[in-house]
């Protein structure tokens, strides 16, 4: 059996909490980004947040499955995992941390790969475990994977958001969590979902949302 040296154990004990905190912050950022992107995609429509609808004085259809809440939590979890995994793999291959300013090509590749793999991972989980997909799970996976690919290709602009903010508002503003993380992710969520799944306006709504907004199926 392999025995870890004391220095390796100390390094690991210091790395794990730091990584867990970073993944947690990323997860929270992506959850908020997904929620906010709904206001870009559906500015005048009411959304279905499952059991949370009770607190919004809205009808509850499904408690979780097939709702915006499922999407927010599930996609954020998958993206947080693939984001940090992709960064670690690129860092190991290049022997240095990647960032858009110093390694633009690698960072652009990382952006597409982690978004596509993360969203597709969510699609796979949804197809496998969502009871609403019973009897058509493979069809859901194939269609979702295609939508994931189409949508992920629209997120090419994400690394350019913070530099654009820096140009108009200054580097101090661009370096904030809002401009460097939340804003780019929110805009990327909007285009990935909007273009990939045609989730705009009155399109892309589930049955509860159609009813909430007085629309026919």
């Amino acid at each position: 059996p392999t025995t870890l040296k004391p220095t390796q154990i100390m390094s690991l004990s210091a790395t794990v909490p730091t990584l867990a905190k970073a993944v947690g912050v990323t997860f929270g950022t992506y959850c908020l980004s997904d929620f906010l992107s709904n206001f870009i995609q559906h500015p005048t429509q009411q959304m279905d947040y499952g059991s949370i609808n009770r607190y919004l004085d809205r009808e509850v259809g499904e408690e979780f499955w097939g709702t915006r809440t499922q999407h927010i939590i599930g996609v954020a979890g998958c993206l947080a995992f693939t984001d940090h995994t992709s960064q670690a793999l690129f860092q190991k291959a290049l022997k240095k941390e990647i960032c858009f300013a110093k390694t633009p090509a690698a960072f652009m590749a990382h952006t597409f790969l982690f978004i596509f793999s993360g969203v597709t991972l969510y699609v796979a989980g949804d197809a496998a475990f969502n009871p609403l997909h019973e009897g058509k799970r493979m069809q859901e996976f194939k269609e979702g994977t295609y939508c994931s690919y189409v949508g992920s290709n629209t997120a090419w602009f994400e690394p350019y958001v913070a530099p654009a903010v820096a140009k108009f508002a200054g580097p101090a503003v661009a370096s904030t969590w809002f401009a460097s993380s939340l804003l780019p992710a929110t805009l990327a969520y909007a285009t990935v979902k909007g273009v990939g799944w045609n989730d705009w306006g009155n399109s892309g709504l589930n049955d509860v949302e159609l009813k909430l907004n007085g629309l026919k199926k």
Side-chain angles (χ1 to χ4, degrees), residues 94-204:
L94 300 177
K95 307 300 182 184
K96 59 182 177 181
E97 292 187 5
I98 61 170
C99 67
F100 189 53
K102 297 180 180 180
T103 55
F107 197 81
M108 290 293 289
H110 152 72
T111 299
F112 171 78
L113 289 173
F114 98 78
I115 292 176
F116 173 67
S117 60
V119 176
T120 304
L121 180 61
Y122 168 78
V123 165
D126 179 57
F129 300 111
N130 190 334
L132 302 178
H133 299 326
E134 189 67 43
K136 53 176 182 178
R137 298 192 184 281
M138 184 54 67
Q139 177 186 346
E140 286 292 330
F141 174 68
K142 290 180 179 178
E143 291 179 355
T145 299
Y146 175 74
C147 293
S148 174
Y149 175 74
V150 172
S152 297
N153 276 289
T154 69
W156 60 267
F157 66 87
E158 186 176 9
Y160 292 92
V161 175
V165 172
K167 183 176 181 179
F168 292 100
V173 175
S175 63
T176 62
W177 166 76
F178 171 80
S180 64
S181 297
L182 183 63
L183 180 59
T186 299
L187 296 176
Y189 260 103
T191 63
V192 172
K193 292 189 297 176
V195 177
W197 278 263
N198 191 30
D199 193 16
W200 301 106
N202 290 332
S203 298

Side-chain angles (χ1 to χ4, degrees), residues 1-166:
T2 302
T3 302
L4 293 176
K5 297 179 181 179
T7 54
Q8 292 176 310
I9 295 176
M10 291 178 63
S11 176
L12 187 62
S13 63
T15 301
V16 171
T18 302
L19 178 60
K21 181 180 179 180
V23 173
V25 170
T26 302
F27 171 73
T29 300
Y30 288 155
C31 281
L32 183 55
S33 296
D34 195 351
F35 173 72
L36 293 175
S37 69
N38 288 329
F39 293 95
I40 298 175
Q41 299 164 251
H42 307 282
T44 62
Q45 288 77 19
Q46 295 187 55
M47 299 287 94
D48 173 21
Y49 293 104
S51 59
I52 298 176
N53 283 1
R54 291 189 178 89
Y55 306 101
L56 303 173
D57 195 28
R58 297 176 187 174
E59 176 184 331
V60 176
E62 294 289 332
E63 296 287 338
F64 179 75
W65 295 108
T67 69
R68 300 281 168 171
T69 299
Q70 179 205 336
H71 189 277
I72 288 171
I73 295 173
V75 174
C78 292
L79 285 178
F81 171 74
T82 57
D83 188 353
H84 287 273
T85 299
S86 176
Q87 288 186 56
L89 292 174
F90 272 97
Q91 181 176 335
K92 184 176 181 180
L94 300 177
K95 307 300 182 184
K96 59 182 177 181
E97 292 187 5
I98 61 170
C99 67
F100 189 53
K102 297 180 180 180
T103 55
F107 197 81
M108 290 293 289
H110 152 72
T111 299
F112 171 78
L113 289 173
F114 98 78
I115 292 176
F116 173 67
S117 60
V119 176
T120 304
L121 180 61
Y122 168 78
V123 165
D126 179 57
F129 300 111
N130 190 334
L132 302 178
H133 299 326
E134 189 67 43
K136 53 176 182 178
R137 298 192 184 281
M138 184 54 67
Q139 177 186 346
E140 286 292 330
F141 174 68
K142 290 180 179 178
E143 291 179 355
T145 299
Y146 175 74
C147 293
S148 174
Y149 175 74
V150 172
S152 297
N153 276 289
T154 69
W156 60 267
F157 66 87
E158 186 176 9
Y160 292 92
V161 175
V165 172

